[in-house]
């Protein structure tokens, strides 16, 4: 960062402060992670200088010998990683990718099924104020309020009633593995297309730790910056028969020039994900999450679906008498970052919901294991059970920092 320091000390100062925050605190937001130094450098490369509208071999501008190579490399690695027939690596991020899929395969006003936001769905899965909810007729399914799990019979009934043109599965706040084959058979009964959004879990899916929708579903998308540990961005995978429609919807349908420096970062991240170490990582993410869940239960936390199969835990804090927003704010002051979250059927508002969402992808990247999860559950309990005790908070903040300094963040040298 020496060039940024000499050219723009103001920006330099902000980035240094963020490095300190990331190093000295514990990151439990389940959609976040740390990229490697290799991914960081690829993203910071001079590939950002190049316009490359179009696709490898079919570009609108000259000078594409290197951009074609890097994009093809990212595509080939993604295909190998997920066993996909066709991959588009150009989507700028997850939300654009989802809009592109809808734009490719639906007409405006078509009926689509997606999980409701406060039950764990994403804003792009039909939230009424989002593009998805305005442009398409989303029918929102829910999880069972008692079990916190998807009820495939209810979903089948809803599908038969509404005859959607597409069913969207894969979520933002759902702690359990997904029965993709059951979704596929419901979709087949009503003649619907299947779209899987594995943004959160892709790193666990490609390691074989969670079931993959790729063999069954028409289209599968994922962000690249969550459990995949790549740059902020997304990819769309599909069966060969949808390849042309998907590619045309990405460019020129919704995007202009692809970000080849980010695509280079995706290629590096996919290369890393193809290494055996990433399988160990994915396994440990799940071990850490289930251990943390068990420890939290010992401290009296009420978990949605009573636990987790994935990297993610959703806790309803109603019995602790602390709203999710306050828990998030106070935990921030001790250096533990997580997010407030609605719980299924939440009586409170999304801006001040009943629950918190946490996960283990980032702490596992730093090398934390089961014993650190026990420590973490302890701190979470102490802070939430003593929400106004600022002396205790200061003491825990020091302890958090001390532990964090033993686990360096990849890509950050201090
Ligand atoms: C994170 C996420 C997205 C959107 O990704 P952005 O890159 O933030 O636009 C889409 N779907 C799901 C399920 C997600 O978790």
């Amino acid at each position: 960062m020496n060039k940024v320091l000499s050219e723009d000390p103001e920006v330099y100062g902000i980035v240094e402060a963020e490095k300190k925050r990331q190093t000295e605190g514990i990151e439990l937001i389940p959609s976040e992670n740390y990229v490697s130094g290799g991914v960081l450098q690829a993203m910071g490369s001079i590939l950002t200088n190049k316009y490359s509208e179009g696709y490898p071999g079919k570009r609108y501008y000259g000078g594409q010998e290197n951009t074609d190579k890097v994009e093809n490399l990212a595509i080939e690695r993604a295909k190998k990683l997920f066993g996909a027939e066709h991959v588009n690596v150009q989507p700028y991020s997850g939300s654009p990718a989802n809009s592109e899929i809808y734009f490719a395969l639906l007409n405006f006003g078509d009926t689509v099924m997606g999980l409701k936001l406060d039950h764990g769905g994403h804003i792009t899965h039909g939230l009424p104020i989002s593009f998805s909810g305005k442009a398409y007729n989303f029918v929102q399914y829910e999880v069972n309020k008692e079990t916190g799990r998807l009820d495939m019979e209810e979903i089948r009934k809803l599908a038969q009633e509404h005859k959607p043109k597409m069913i969207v599965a894969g979520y933002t706040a759902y702690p359990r593995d997904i029965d993709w084959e059951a979704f596929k058979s419901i979709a087949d009964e009503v003649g619907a297309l299947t779209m899987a959004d594995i943004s959160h879990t892709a790193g666990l899916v490609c390691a074989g730790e969670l079931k993959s929708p790729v063999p069954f579903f028409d289209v599968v998308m994922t962000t690249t910056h969550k459990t995949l540990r790549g740059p902020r961005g997304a990819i769309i995978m599909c069966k060969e028969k949808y390849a042309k429609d998907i590619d045309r919807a990405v460019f020129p349908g919704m995007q202009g020039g692809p970000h080849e420096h980010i695509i280079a970062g995706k290629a590096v991240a996919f290369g890393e994900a193809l290494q055996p170490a990433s399988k160990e990582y994915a396994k440990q993410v799940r071990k850490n999450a289930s251990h943390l869940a068990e420890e939290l239960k010992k401290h009296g936390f009420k978990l949605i679906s009573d636990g987790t199969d994935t990297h993610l835990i959703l806790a309803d804090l109603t019995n602790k008498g602390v709203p999710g927003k306050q828990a998030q704010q106070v935990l921030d002051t001790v250096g533990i970052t997580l997010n407030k979250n609605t719980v299924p059927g939440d009586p409170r508002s999304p801006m001040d919901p009943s629950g918190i969402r946490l996960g283990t992808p980032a702490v596992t990247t730093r090398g934390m294991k089961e014993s650190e999860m026990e420590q973490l559950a302890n701190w979470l309990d102490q802070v939430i059970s003593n929400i106004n005790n600022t002396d205790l908070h200061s003491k825990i903040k020091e302890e958090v920092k001390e532990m964090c300094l033993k686990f360096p963040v990849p890509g950050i040298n201090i």
Side-chain angles (χ1 to χ4, degrees):
M1 291 283 287
N2 58 330
K3 298 283 183 196
V4 183
L5 173 60
S6 58
E7 204 176 298
D8 194 330
E10 208 174 348
V11 168
Y12 179 84
I14 295 169
V15 177
E16 286 304 299
E18 177 61 12
K19 270 190 197 170
K20 186 170 150 64
R21 190 193 70 82
Q22 291 190 10
T23 306
E24 294 180 0
I26 294 177
E27 187 54 71
L28 287 177
I29 295 176
S31 50
E32 294 190 14
N33 218 321
Y34 309 104
V35 297
S36 67
V39 170
L40 269 182
Q41 289 186 357
M43 284 195 275
S45 71
I46 46 72
L47 287 168
T48 192
N49 296 339
K50 188 75 196 107
Y51 245 112
S52 55
E53 284 179 344
Y55 290 100
K58 292 167 287 195
R59 306 282 195 188
Y60 286 80
Y61 304 154
Q64 306 291 347
E65 58 266 40
N66 304 310
T67 44
D68 277 6
K69 271 190 197 137
V70 81
E71 192 166 332
N72 278 328
L73 191 60
I75 291 168
E76 288 314 313
R77 287 180 180 173
K79 277 187 181 172
K80 196 166 163 196
L81 195 55
F82 290 96
E85 288 179 20
H86 178 79
V87 182
N88 187 310
V89 296
Q90 294 191 1
Y92 299 143
S93 211
S95 303
N98 284 353
S99 302
E100 286 151 8
I101 293 166
Y102 303 149
F103 190 51
L105 304 177
L106 303 171
N107 292 308
F108 293 135
D110 277 350
T111 298
V112 190
M113 272 174 63
L115 185 66
K116 213 173 174 181
L117 183 76
D118 66 351
H119 284 241
H122 189 256
I123 46 180
T124 56
H125 298 179
L127 182 70
I129 57 168
S130 86
F131 172 77
S132 61
K134 284 194 189 291
Y136 304 97
N137 173 37
F138 263 87
V139 172
Q140 303 257 267
Y141 56 96
E142 302 187 345
V143 298
N144 180 290
K145 287 191 185 73
E146 304 303 313
T147 63
R149 293 179 188 240
L150 295 167
D151 179 337
M152 298 314 291
E153 267 322 297
E154 283 301 315
I155 292 169
R156 169 174 278 114
K157 271 191 222 151
L158 212 58
Q160 276 165 350
E161 182 186 340
H162 294 280
K163 302 270 184 295
K165 185 143 175 224
M166 177 186 279
I167 299 179
V168 179
Y171 315 105
T172 289
Y174 185 68
R176 296 295 176 177
D177 204 0
I178 295 165
D179 187 348
W180 304 108
E181 282 184 85
F183 268 106
K184 173 67 177 155
S185 84
I186 292 169
D188 285 347
E189 283 170 30
V190 300
L193 294 162
T194 43
M195 192 293 236
D197 177 344
I198 57 169
S199 290
H200 259 260
T201 52
L204 308 180
V205 167
C206 68
E209 284 291 313
L210 293 176
K211 293 189 198 106
S212 173
V214 175
F216 312 109
F217 270 48
D218 298 311
V219 188
V220 178
M221 64 73 65
T222 177
T223 53
T224 45
H225 49 272
K226 297 179 184 175
T227 48
L228 263 184
R229 298 191 286 185
R232 306 202 82 78
I235 59 172
I236 300 173
M237 300 173 261
C238 66
K239 301 288 186 211
E240 199 56 54
K241 69 191 239 207
Y242 303 110
K244 265 211 171 85
D245 289 337
I246 291 289
D247 285 353
R248 252 190 253 133
V250 173
F251 174 84
M254 297 203 70
Q255 297 190 174
H259 297 175
E260 296 294 349
H261 58 306
I262 300 299
I263 290 174
K266 290 175 186 174
V268 174
F270 300 154
E272 290 170 358
L274 285 163
Q275 302 300 315
S278 74
K279 286 213 164 46
E280 282 313 305
Y281 166 72
K283 194 172 280 185
Q284 192 64 43
V285 166
R286 286 184 67 216
K287 272 195 206 163
N288 282 350
S290 50
H291 200 70
L292 182 56
E294 288 311 310
E295 291 297 313
L296 286 171
K297 279 159 69 176
K298 283 186 200 161
H299 289 293
F301 282 87
K302 189 170 164 279
L303 307 186
I304 304 307
S305 85
D306 201 36
T308 180
D309 298 327
T310 65
H311 63 301
L312 180 147
I313 297 166
L314 200 54
D316 182 346
L317 299 182
T318 307
N319 68 331
K320 296 272 180 188
V322 178
K325 184 178 169 186
Q326 190 184 14
Q328 176 192 311
Q329 280 168 348
V330 175
L331 284 163
D332 244 346
T333 68
V334 309
I336 298 178
T337 314
L338 46 65
N339 64 275
K340 60 179 187 284
N341 215 96
T342 50
V343 298
D346 204 320
R348 303 176 63 96
S349 83
M351 284 314 291
D352 190 9
S354 302
I356 51 173
R357 187 185 71 150
L358 56 160
T360 52
V363 292
T364 307
T365 294
R366 281 177 96 158
M368 294 184 192
K369 297 227 162 74
E370 284 87 338
S371 61
E372 285 77 32
M373 297 306 110
E374 276 165 43
Q375 180 61 72
L376 255 171
N378 250 322
W379 284 327
L380 288 166
D381 179 49
Q382 284 185 45
V383 173
I384 290 171
S385 302
N386 301 280
I387 201 78
N388 295 314
N389 185 344
T390 48
D391 288 344
L392 178 69
H393 301 166
S394 310
K395 179 176 152 270
I396 292 175
K397 183 179 181 169
E398 284 311 305
E399 292 171 5
V400 165
K401 182 173 159 186
E402 193 185 324
M403 184 174 101
C404 282
L405 293 177
K406 293 188 204 139
F407 296 92
V409 174
I412 299 184
N413 306 313
I414 295 231

